[in-house]
């Protein structure tokens, strides 16, 4: 079965950076597109970024363009989310998700989910 494990979260000061990783098992990684989503306390899960199966296509939530970068390494079965200039509003649990087929910004399109990694930005 497909398993996704996120890592790299933690506590960071505003203006700092973090790099999240999502590592997959149980799947031919080049068969799946991957998305990152996040959920802040009391808020709905929201789309962050997505990357196509071989990394040729990336897309970001409009509010995050220029600060976040998604990438993947299929040899390592991993997708990364580099987050720069973090602010308090970026505090959330970050989830990676995978689907067979095209990358999507709709969480309901993803069949496989990790358990999430907490990112906390302090002032």
């Amino acid at each position: 079965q497909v398993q996704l494990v996120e890592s790299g979260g933690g506590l960071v000061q505003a203006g700092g950076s973090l790099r999240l990783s999502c590592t997959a098992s149980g799947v031919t990684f080049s068969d799946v597109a991957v998305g990152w989503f996040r959920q802040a306390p009391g808020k709905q899960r929201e789309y962050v970024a997505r990357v196509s199966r071989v990394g040729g296509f990336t897309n970001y939530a409009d509010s995050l363009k220029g600060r976040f970068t998604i990438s993947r390494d299929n040899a390592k079965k991993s997708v990364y989310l580099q987050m720069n200039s973090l602010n308090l509003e970026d505090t959330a649990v970050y989830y990676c998700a995978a689907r067979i087929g095209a990358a999507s910004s709709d969480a309901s399109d993803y069949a496989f989910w990790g358990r999430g990694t907490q990112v906390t930005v302090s002032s």
Side-chain angles (χ1 to χ4, degrees):
Q1 72 210 45
V2 180
Q3 289 189 325
L4 301 173
V5 179
E6 301 95 338
S7 61
L11 176 64
V12 62
Q13 285 191 325
S17 299
L18 280 176
R19 187 193 194 210
L20 305 184
S21 298
C22 170
T23 301
S25 60
V27 66
T28 299
F29 198 56
S30 57
D31 286 346
V32 298
V34 175
W36 282 98
F37 297 81
R38 68 184 184 183
Q39 188 164 17
K43 295 186 177 181
Q44 290 189 332
R45 188 170 299 187
E46 66 172 346
Y47 166 68
V48 173
R50 67 190 194 257
V51 61
S52 60
R53 288 174 292 174
V54 294
F57 169 82
T58 60
N59 179 264
Y60 302 89
D62 287 343
S63 62
L64 301 176
K65 287 180 182 177
R67 294 196 299 122
F68 288 17
T69 303
I70 189 171
S71 61
R72 68 187 292 160
D73 184 337
N74 284 354
K76 295 182 178 180
K77 293 192 170 184
S78 294
V79 170
Y80 308 100
L81 185 69
Q82 177 67 42
M83 306 186 295
N84 298 326
S85 301
L86 287 163
N87 57 56
L88 299 181
E89 289 71 36
D90 295 316
T91 295
V93 178
Y94 284 71
Y95 300 89
C96 69
R99 69 184 302 261
I100 295 174
S104 171
S105 62
D106 187 341
S108 66
D109 287 336
Y110 289 85
F112 311 108
W113 289 82
R115 294 186 176 182
T117 185
Q118 175 71 47
V119 172
T120 303
V121 183
S122 65
S123 59

